[in-house]
Amino acid sequence: MKKSALFAIIAVFVALVVVACGAPAAPPAVVQTSAPVIQTQIVEKVQTGAPVVQTQVVEKVQTVVVEATAAPAAKEKVLRINLGSYPDIVDPQKSSFVNEIAHLNLIYEGLTKFNEKLETVPGAAESWKYNDKATELTFQLRPGLKYSDGSLLNAARYKYSLMRNIDPHTAGEYAAITDEIAGAPEWRGADLSTISDEDLAKLQATVSESVAALDASGQPCKEGADGYAQEDCLTLKLTLSRPAPYFHTIMGIWVSYPAKQENIEAGGDIWWTSPKYQIGNGPFILKNMEPFVRARFEPNANYWGDKAKVPIEYAYITDSAVAFQAYKNNEFDIIGLAAEDLETVKADATLSKEANIYPGSCTFAVMFHQKKEPFTDQKVREAFAMALDRDGWVKDVLRGLGAPTLTWIPPGYPGYKTSDSWGFDPDAAKKAIADSTYGSVDKLPEITDTFSDTPRNRTRNEWLVSKWKEVLGVDVKLNPVESTTYTALTKDQATAPQMFILGWCADYPDQQNWLSVYWKTGGFGERIAYSNPDFDKLVDEADQTVDPAKRADLYEQAQDLLIKGAPVAFMWNNVNSYLVKPWVTGLQLTPQDAGWAGAQVPTSIDIDASKMPSQ
Amino acid sequence: MARFLIRRLLWLIPVMFVVAIITFVLMHMAPGGPFDKDPSQRQVDAVTQKALNAQFGLDKEEWLDFGALSKGDIVGFFDTQFFTYMIGGTVKGQWRCGFICGNLGLSFRQRGLTVQDIVLKPPEGKAPWDSKAGYSLRLGLLALFFAMLIGVPLGVVSALRQNTPVDYASLFIATSGVTVPNFVFGIFLIIIFAVFLHAVPVVPTSWDSPLVWILPTIVLGFGLLAQTARLTRASMLEVMRQDYIRTARAKGLGERVVVWRHMLKNALIPVVTIMGPALAGLITGSFIIETMFAFPGWGRQFVTAIQQRDYSMILATTLIFALLIQIANMTVDLIYTFLDPRIKVN
Amino acid sequence: MASAAVAGGRSVNQAITKPPQSLWVDAWHRLSRNKAAMFGLALILLFFFLAIFGPMLAPHDPLKINSGKGFLPPAWMPAAWVSTNNVGDPQFFLGTDSIGRDVFSRLIYGARVSMVVAIIPTIFITFFGILIGIVAGFFGGTADNLLMRFTDIVYSFPDILFFVVVMFALRDTPIGDWGNGLILLFGALALVNWVGVARVVRGSTLSIKEKEFVEAARSIGTSDRNIMQKHILPNILSPIIIITAFAVPRLIIAEAVLGYLGLGLRPGTSSKEFFVTSWGSMLLEGQTAINAQPWMLLAPAIAVALVVMGFTFFGDGLRDALDPRMRGAG
């Protein structure tokens, strides 16, 4: 790539010189020459050009020459990925966004991790077991684990991370995810401005007991730096406040990633910006991080598992049209594929083979506010749901980048089960309106569809409204609002609009994350006032059931109950869509891929240099 | 002159304060807060929200704390969000000087970083001009020079050759400069120079090479170039018909002197007027340039701060912009007196 | 160069030999002979015509979704230029957008909003800009200082934040609702855009007011108001016209960008509503689809360019026609 740029630059200069001298065009052979010839070109340029231009030209060429000679003769194998937006923070206990997690996943590893089938498999812990009631979870770490700098990694490190996640001083955005740990909600919720130091220490001590790092003899590991050096400190015992047989899965996500205490303290609030302090135990080492330009990761030789094969470089282009051009120009190996470009890709013989489209981790639905008329009436909700042709939506609006769904948990996740309730049926939809308490469409109160205003959302909601008009004859008004206003409005039951599109994306692969976290009374579904005591009972029981089969069955019943009430119109599952160059091999694709194709299992990726273009 | 400068510099203070007050009122009236993110993800729960509010001082009163006053706590009376930001107050239990000392506050979004870390601190091992502000400053100046060096001569030539093909060509350039949105123009240039000619990479991997600066400069400066060319042309046409130009010619002055000394100098007043604020706009960066070219400037912060409700970033960027605008306009007023000595600054 | 000097000279001669005419008749006379200006006027009128009679002219309902016909290229585009596998349909002259709506009909309907959004706030900003600029420049001193500090504040004003607040507060009131939020949009656009005009007017006024003819007018006791109206304003028209003509595309795009920030007009759900779409929204939609259906972007971009061209040509002609030194020339 650098070489091609060099040739191009020479070509441009040749062209310039030719234009300036009025000489006949130079044969392409000139392009093949190296540094000395550039100098002669420059001399010519200097003779003809204006004085101001001279120095600039010389400077440019020199820079390029230096780069070209510094570049190794063989092509460097590096996986270049466009990640999109630049992370706000790369701190295991404070991050929450996909692009942030994409960095953490490479640098660190949790106690468990997820494989290509989204099963929870051993990470830093080689095994784990629950007690009978699933109120105690004991992890056994692999012996001899090392950080990328060669220092020891033991259970005390994980204890620190979990404690830091719960600590009210951290105020991490995912702190609530470990609330099952006994004493965690109390410590986390302490009001720092009023609580006395002793009380705070007491709360902390409770959690410290619940998160116990133990040595070979079952005794607590030493405190502080001594503990971090203790080689037999390999057991982490978590005491949970209630049965939680899914908790080992939660320990696979980033909140438990063992960033080093001494680094966090030495670096202060901005420790995470420096590769010097980002010492982890993951398959990669962060080499440098240049804000908004790029980040580079090298394979970590001290990683316990399969060693990564190629370095990874992230870039941060948010303009998809530019990223697409760069990809075609062989500047990226993996980029996201936007719906608008899909048809162009399909029409192109090469690009169409490079497209990877596979299920994603989110479900989107048209949410109806259960306490705002007319959606208080289940019949009306059913009618609005049945008036929507999901296949048409996916084909026309999503341009094929999505999959229609009539259920909540997306395919590929534990608990996925197809449904055929409230699918597209215009006649049944009209009948449902007639059967509703309103009786006919002209008796319905004014209905407004609120959405976060982007060009894409505009088209989407215009489609929805036109379908409701076509099938039911209802005039639904559109109400575009600014994106943060939208978030603020929709997060609270009192301000949540009558209806809006919203989705949920998996934190970790378990039914509990989909059903209990979202739809249980007091969960995220409370924004549309969904509250069903029968549902609550089912998921509560399931959450505490240890037997996997019985547990899965209870969740299935709960999901059926959810669908039966038609609180929302389930619409579509997102898909992951990426363009991947043919020389990238060994990709393992999962719905949970954060930010790029194959992100969940990055160690298996290699680059086949023989397939790379020779330029 | 010195009196003028001192007076104008003193005026900075009340203007900045008014801007700060307006911004402060507006940003707290805007629905949502800094911790409201993508609604399809897990939202910050109430407990964490409270802890965050406390960490960032959002639990303080906005303007004046009458509760503290009633307890006789005068310091506490002023230890509020506004005064903490502008002058100083307690941050994490310690007194900390505010905006007047150059502290731009902790970013609410890029946690742990202060605003000055984000915009003024260069990446490790780089020079100060490699900070985000430094990058934008350099690009803004380049774009200004580009617009001036091409726009002014283009305007002069098209005025001198009014209604000739040169004039129409310049009109064409000017019209496309203002009507073609720069995201379109940008992708167009990228396709030509990077994809077809391979003159530059689509996505520069390093900004140390001068070559990769060319496209962003052109895209950023093109709109101003168009305005400059049209304004120069219009004022030139105006000036050409003035009596003193005829006098100058009648005196037998050379054409070059007439055009450059007499006409252009007088014609530049409107151009210089738009140039001031335009420069302030250019060096505060461009969101579109930065997202297209992965340019590490600070323009992104100016745009995303508001959508992200990153309060200190909103205040800091607004105040920086206000400062730049005033300095630019002050400079413009000074240049007036140089272009037309009859204009008095006082 | 030389020709311009000659033109100047001739105008003086003819002004002497011709019988005096009223300023406006004379101006119109000269304007109507200026081909470029007449072309500009024709363009403007054409777009006004489209804006008014659009619904009768559009071949399709701009909101009609043609399932399975998204991203159709125009039928007349050679297949080699089309980057998708879609085949154009002759009934869609400029092809279709992502969900199969006719781009040509949307372009015609979009003229309405974009013309209104371009013209009405422009009138406001020109009026206020001139008023404040000329007063500040002419009187100078404290008035100038205060007015210019005020413009500095408005310049640095966080306008987007202001719109967020205003839109949120007023969306559900009758003011916010009228014309899909058109009044709010006018207010928002006019509020912050006058400052540029004001600064330019003030700068030019500062220079003009020191000229001999202003001195002369003052010495014979002409009122301030008259001096500003009759002596200064006509001499600073050129930059005003340029700035005004350039405000048009800025406003058209600003409308769309505000829409992008969630602060734009509420989209209509029936083609009978006033606001169906605008060129600005079409530009933004087209940006994402630049590869699949470039006409989604090109069509509104060309339309905006033509409007600006119209205003520029007409503005130039108008300025020349109103120039007192050009009286009788042409």
Side-chain angles (χ1 to χ4, degrees):
Chain A
M1 186 204 78
K2 276 176 184 162
K3 253 187 177 171
S4 73
L6 171 67
F7 288 153
I9 291 158
I10 298 169
V12 169
F13 282 138
V14 170
L16 275 177
V17 171
V18 166
V19 170
C21 311
V30 178
V31 176
Q32 304 291 336
T33 50
S34 55
V37 179
I38 304 175
Q39 298 297 352
T40 53
Q41 299 294 347
I42 295 312
V43 174
E44 281 188 56
K45 177 68 191 162
V46 170
Q47 283 164 352
T48 53
V52 189
V53 184
Q54 281 177 23
T55 47
Q56 267 186 346
V57 170
V58 172
E59 212 177 285
K60 275 173 210 161
V61 173
Q62 279 171 348
T63 317
V64 173
V65 170
V66 170
E67 273 182 18
T69 45
K75 262 188 305 275
E76 197 203 359
K77 283 212 255 176
V78 52
L79 184 64
R80 299 156 306 168
I81 299 164
N82 180 36
L83 195 62
S85 48
Y86 185 75
D88 280 341
I89 181 165
V90 187
D91 177 328
Q93 282 81 41
K94 289 180 181 173
S95 286
S96 64
F97 252 44
V98 169
N99 55 341
E100 297 162 7
I101 311 312
H103 290 73
L104 292 170
N105 277 349
L106 297 182
I107 313 171
Y108 299 96
E109 187 178 68
L111 289 161
T112 58
K113 60 177 185 173
F114 313 124
N115 69 3
E116 69 284 356
K117 292 184 199 120
L118 290 190
E119 292 155 345
T120 309
V121 295
E126 57 183 5
S127 66
W128 61 88
K129 63 172 195 290
Y130 288 96
N131 65 355
D132 294 345
K133 284 195 295 194
T135 51
E136 262 180 33
L137 171 58
T138 312
F139 288 98
Q140 192 60 43
L141 266 67
R142 294 170 199 277
L145 283 176
K146 277 182 193 157
Y147 277 103
S148 59
D149 63 354
S151 56
L152 180 76
L153 167 66
N154 62 13
R157 294 287 187 183
Y158 279 98
K159 172 174 177 160
Y160 169 75
S161 292
L162 285 175
M163 294 288 284
R164 181 166 182 259
N165 188 52
I166 301 165
D167 192 336
H169 293 97
T170 310
E173 298 183 13
Y174 260 61
I177 209 159
T178 51
D179 271 0
E180 282 89 345
I181 293 175
E186 291 78 14
W187 186 30
R188 196 168 68 79
D191 187 343
L192 294 175
S193 55
T194 52
I195 195 167
S196 70
D197 287 351
E198 298 94 78
D199 287 350
L200 191 64
K202 249 183 252 164
L203 290 173
Q204 179 174 358
T206 316
V207 177
S208 184
E209 270 169 44
S210 309
V211 185
L214 306 171
D215 63 15
S217 58
Q219 293 303 308
C221 301
K222 292 174 202 143
E223 293 290 316
D226 294 341
Y228 294 148
Q230 199 176 341
E231 286 191 19
D232 66 344
C233 179
L234 293 173
T235 308
L236 189 73
K237 197 175 116 195
L238 304 178
T239 310
L240 309 173
S241 55
R242 60 190 197 109
Y246 48 86
F247 203 73
H248 64 282
T249 303
I250 295 181
M251 289 297 97
I253 72 166
W254 61 97
V255 293
S256 76
Y257 287 174
K260 292 178 131 187
Q261 180 177 11
E262 57 272 32
N263 288 356
I264 292 173
E265 281 163 6
D269 283 340
I270 56 167
W271 73 273
W272 58 269
T273 56
S274 167
K276 186 168 70 184
Y277 298 125
Q278 288 275 19
I279 302 296
N281 62 330
F284 289 87
I285 305 171
L286 178 66
K287 269 290 166 215
N288 81 48
M289 193 155 75
E290 207 178 322
F292 295 99
V293 182
R294 71 202 144 135
R296 191 183 168 92
F297 303 86
E298 301 278 351
N300 174 7
N302 285 325
Y303 181 59
W304 65 268
D306 295 339
K307 307 277 186 289
K309 299 178 182 78
V310 285
I312 289 179
E313 218 170 76
Y314 282 164
Y316 308 97
I317 306 283
T318 44
D319 188 320
S320 63
V322 175
F324 188 57
Q325 296 300 339
Y327 177 83
K328 288 203 283 190
N329 211 21
N330 288 336
E331 291 176 31
F332 287 131
D333 300 318
I334 301 180
I335 62 161
L337 170 59
E340 288 80 5
D341 291 331
L342 185 64
E343 308 224 351
T344 311
V345 167
K346 275 187 190 157
D348 186 297
T350 327
L351 290 174
S352 58
K353 282 192 221 114
E354 297 170 7
N356 283 265
I357 298 172
Y358 55 100
S361 63
C362 311
T363 300
F364 292 88
V366 179
M367 302 263 169
F368 304 119
H369 199 300
Q370 321 282 306
K371 286 194 178 156
K372 290 192 177 163
E373 292 216 53
F375 299 111
T376 43
D377 186 338
Q378 176 167 351
K379 282 288 169 199
V380 177
R381 299 199 298 265
E382 288 171 12
F384 273 73
M386 288 190 289
L388 296 174
D389 174 9
R390 271 72 154 187
D391 295 320
W393 166 267
V394 167
K395 188 178 71 169
D396 288 336
V397 181
L398 305 180
R399 316 292 320 160
L401 285 190
T405 189
L406 293 170
T407 180
W408 180 235
I409 299 180
Y413 279 83
Y416 169 67
K417 188 191 158 205
T418 53
S419 157
D420 54 5
S421 301
W422 322 127
F424 182 49
D425 188 344
D427 296 328
K430 283 187 206 110
K431 192 171 173 297
I433 288 281
D435 292 347
S436 73
T437 49
Y438 300 94
S440 71
V441 284
D442 37 275
K443 298 210 179 68
L444 290 175
E446 190 181 86
I447 302 173
T448 312
D449 173 25
T450 304
F451 61 96
S452 158
D453 198 354
T454 62
R456 195 173 284 174
N457 279 349
R458 250 176 207 238
T459 322
R460 288 181 173 183
N461 287 279
E462 281 168 359
W463 187 93
L464 281 182
V465 165
S466 85
K467 290 297 159 188
W468 282 317
K469 186 164 189 176
E470 193 182 306
V471 175
L472 298 175
V474 192
D475 272 312
V476 176
K477 274 177 81 180
L478 287 169
N479 181 30
V481 296
E482 183 256 355
S483 61
T484 307
T485 305
Y486 181 75
T487 309
L489 286 178
T490 54
K491 76 172 180 182
D492 187 43
Q493 198 188 109
T495 56
Q498 252 173 332
M499 92 170 134
F500 52 98
I501 294 182
L502 204 62
W504 175 250
C505 302
D507 292 320
Y508 46 88
D510 192 274
Q511 293 96 319
Q512 184 261 355
N513 184 233
W514 283 94
L515 296 166
S516 320
V517 168
Y518 207 91
W519 292 112
K520 209 167 102 173
T521 305
F524 292 100
E526 191 158 45
R527 63 183 79 200
I528 57 162
Y530 182 80
S531 172
N532 183 341
D534 298 332
F535 178 89
D536 291 354
K537 237 175 86 188
L538 278 171
V539 291
D540 263 337
E541 201 187 330
D543 286 352
Q544 310 193 11
T545 305
V546 184
D547 175 23
K550 193 169 166 234
R551 186 165 172 265
D553 181 56
L554 286 166
Y555 280 129
E556 196 177 305
Q557 288 179 37
Q559 184 170 236
D560 288 344
L561 189 65
L562 172 76
I563 294 169
K564 201 171 143 232
V568 303
F570 298 111
M571 285 294 285
W572 83 99
N573 296 121
N574 72 327
V575 292
N576 288 313
S577 57
Y578 297 99
L579 285 170
V580 181
K581 289 288 182 191
W583 50 84
V584 178
T585 59
L587 281 189
Q588 305 217 30
L589 307 174
T590 72
Q592 191 93 343
D593 280 345
W596 51 280
Q600 204 55 244
V601 195
T603 47
S604 67
I605 300 173
D606 199 355
I607 286 181
D608 181 355
S610 68
K611 286 187 190 155
M612 288 174 84
S614 53
Q615 56 161 340
Chain B
M1 184 67 81
R3 257 192 66 200
F4 164 78
L5 275 178
I6 292 169
R7 227 180 52 180
R8 284 297 285 271
L9 287 174
L10 284 177
W11 264 105
L12 287 178
I13 300 166
V15 170
M16 300 285 274
F17 246 86
V18 171
V19 171
I21 290 172
I22 293 173
T23 311
F24 198 85
V25 169
L26 288 176
M27 86 191 178
H28 283 281
M29 274 171 78
F35 312 115
D36 288 332
K37 299 186 184 175
D38 181 358
S40 57
Q41 293 209 354
R42 182 179 280 263
Q43 299 292 298
V44 172
D45 67 305
V47 170
T48 312
Q49 175 91 50
K50 200 162 162 251
L52 285 168
N53 283 347
Q55 250 186 28
F56 285 98
L58 287 180
D59 53 347
K60 291 185 189 178
E61 290 288 324
E62 283 179 16
W63 298 101
L64 292 169
D65 190 348
F66 290 97
L69 185 70
S70 65
K71 286 182 219 143
D73 180 2
I74 296 293
V75 180
F77 181 57
F78 289 106
D79 189 11
T80 56
Q81 290 182 40
F82 183 73
F83 288 96
T84 305
Y85 188 84
M86 292 303 290
I87 294 162
T90 49
V91 176
K92 290 186 184 173
Q94 282 174 346
W95 203 87
R96 193 186 151 95
C97 188
F99 184 81
I100 51 166
C101 303
N103 281 327
L104 305 179
L106 268 178
S107 166
F108 285 73
R109 272 298 177 109
Q110 296 163 59
R111 288 185 59 188
L113 295 170
T114 61
V115 174
Q116 62 266 34
D117 280 341
I118 296 169
V119 299
L120 298 176
K121 209 172 109 183
E124 265 173 60
K126 295 254 188 157
W129 54 85
D130 285 327
S131 66
K132 293 199 184 69
Y135 266 106
S136 287
L137 191 71
R138 283 189 282 162
L139 186 67
L141 288 173
L142 278 177
L144 183 81
F145 287 132
F146 167 72
M148 291 266 280
L149 286 182
I150 299 189
V152 173
L154 198 64
V156 171
V157 170
S158 57
L160 296 180
R161 308 246 182 287
Q162 197 188 358
N163 298 335
T164 62
V166 182
D167 188 21
Y168 292 126
S170 121
L171 174 71
F172 176 75
I173 294 175
T175 312
S176 38
V178 283
T179 49
V180 180
N182 50 6
F183 52 80
V184 179
F185 188 54
I187 190 87
F188 181 70
L189 287 186
I190 285 177
I191 291 176
I192 293 180
F193 287 98
V195 179
F196 285 122
L197 296 177
H198 293 284
V200 286
V202 176
V203 176
T205 46
S206 162
W207 289 92
D208 296 335
S209 148
L211 206 62
V212 297
W213 288 72
I214 296 176
L215 291 190
T217 304
I218 295 176
V219 178
L220 187 59
F222 200 45
L224 183 62
L225 183 153
Q227 287 202 38
T228 310
R230 292 304 294 171
L231 270 181
T232 310
R233 175 185 178 273
S235 325
M236 281 292 286
L237 288 176
E238 191 79 35
V239 172
M240 269 160 54
R241 294 166 190 152
Q242 301 285 350
D243 302 334
Y244 60 84
I245 296 298
R246 224 170 323 155
T247 317
R249 281 223 177 78
K251 276 198 299 190
L253 286 180
E255 200 51 41
R256 191 174 281 190
V257 179
V258 174
V259 172
W260 293 103
R261 175 90 54 80
H262 292 263
M263 289 191 191
L264 191 58
K265 220 170 138 183
N266 281 283
L268 275 182
I269 284 182
V271 179
V272 166
T273 313
I274 61 156
M275 222 41 115
L279 178 62
L282 290 180
I283 64 181
T284 48
S286 155
F287 181 70
I288 287 164
I289 302 289
E290 290 175 18
T291 51
M292 283 198 119
F293 294 97
F295 186 81
W298 60 351
R300 214 181 303 254
Q301 317 294 340
F302 283 77
V303 176
T304 54
I306 290 174
Q307 265 188 305
Q308 298 187 334
R309 306 284 193 274
D310 188 338
Y311 293 146
S312 38
M313 187 64 88
I314 296 176
L315 273 171
T317 49
T318 309
L319 289 173
I320 290 172
F321 187 62
L323 190 68
L324 288 172
I325 280 284
Q326 290 182 84
I327 293 173
N329 281 339
M330 195 159 84
T331 318
V332 167
D333 284 352
L334 282 177
I335 295 177
Y336 283 165
T337 61
F338 163 76
L339 291 175
D340 187 346
R342 282 174 303 186
I343 296 177
K344 294 173 222 61
V345 284
N346 291 316
Chain C
M1 169 74 266
S3 67
V6 173
R10 191 179 58 192
S11 75
V12 176
N13 294 337
Q14 287 180 350
I16 295 165
T17 52
K18 271 197 176 176
Q21 279 173 314
S22 111
L23 173 72
W24 293 106
V25 173
D26 193 38
W28 169 247
H29 188 66
R30 263 175 285 141
L31 188 63
S32 60
R33 282 215 241 147
N34 184 335
K35 280 188 202 125
M38 283 299 108
F39 173 67
L41 184 63
L43 271 179
I44 298 170
L45 290 178
L46 171 74
F47 281 108
F48 269 114
F49 182 75
L50 277 186
I52 297 165
F53 298 104
M56 284 169 222
L57 299 167
H60 296 276
D61 180 344
L63 291 171
K64 171 92 175 24
I65 295 166
N66 294 291
S67 179
K69 289 189 178 169
F71 287 145
L72 292 190
W76 45 265
M77 271 234 297
W81 295 4
V82 180
S83 71
T84 61
N85 282 331
N86 299 333
V87 179
D89 182 335
Q91 62 165 319
F92 305 116
F93 177 60
L94 292 175
T96 57
D97 72 356
S98 63
I99 51 175
R101 295 176 297 198
D102 181 32
V103 171
F104 187 55
S105 304
R106 290 176 73 74
L107 186 74
I108 291 175
Y109 271 83
R112 189 179 276 182
V113 171
S114 293
M115 291 304 280
V116 168
V117 157
I119 309 288
I120 294 182
T122 304
I123 293 171
F124 276 106
I125 65 181
T126 316
F127 180 76
F128 283 110
I130 292 177
L131 189 70
I132 291 182
I134 217 165
V135 166
F138 184 76
F139 290 107
T142 313
D144 179 32
N145 203 1
L146 286 176
L147 284 171
M148 285 305 111
R149 294 304 75 73
F150 179 56
T151 58
D152 281 349
I153 291 173
V154 178
Y155 253 128
S156 22
F157 189 70
D159 46 355
I160 291 174
L161 199 58
F162 177 73
F163 300 154
V164 172
V165 172
V166 170
M167 292 280 172
F168 180 70
L170 298 182
R171 224 334 131 51
D172 291 329
T173 64
I175 308 174
D177 209 33
W178 192 85
N180 300 55
L182 211 55
I183 291 194
L184 280 190
L185 190 76
F186 287 164
L189 291 175
L191 191 77
V192 290
N193 278 303
W194 59 266
V195 283
V197 181
R199 290 269 335 172
V200 168
V201 168
R202 171 197 174 251
S204 300
T205 307
L206 282 179
S207 164
I208 296 289
K209 78 165 177 184
E210 306 293 345
K211 294 252 151 55
E212 296 80 1
F213 62 87
V214 178
E215 287 295 298
R218 205 177 274 149
S219 66
I220 58 169
T222 317
S223 72
D224 286 348
R225 195 190 145 140
N226 257 333
I227 294 179
M228 284 191 262
Q229 233 172 28
K230 298 243 168 77
H231 297 275
I232 293 181
L233 188 58
N235 279 294
I236 55 172
L237 271 183
S238 310
I240 294 176
I241 286 171
I242 301 290
I243 298 259
T244 310
F246 279 11
V248 169
R250 234 201 356 258
L251 291 169
I252 291 178
I253 293 172
E255 180 268 320
V257 171
L258 285 184
Y260 188 66
L261 292 166
L263 308 164
L265 296 177
R266 176 179 299 187
T269 50
S270 125
S271 55
K272 286 183 193 65
E273 277 183 59
F274 182 79
F275 177 54
V276 174
T277 185
S278 70
W279 292 342
S281 337
M282 292 179 73
L283 279 175
L284 290 182
E285 270 174 49
Q287 183 205 357
T288 52
I290 188 166
N291 289 312
Q293 220 287 57
W295 284 96
M296 284 171 66
L297 180 68
L298 288 176
I302 292 172
V304 175
L306 286 177
V307 171
V308 177
M309 201 113 78
F311 276 100
T312 313
F313 279 137
F314 183 67
D316 276 357
L318 191 66
R319 195 213 67 88
D320 284 347
L322 289 175
D323 187 343
R325 284 178 300 271
M326 294 278 279
R327 282 194 78 175

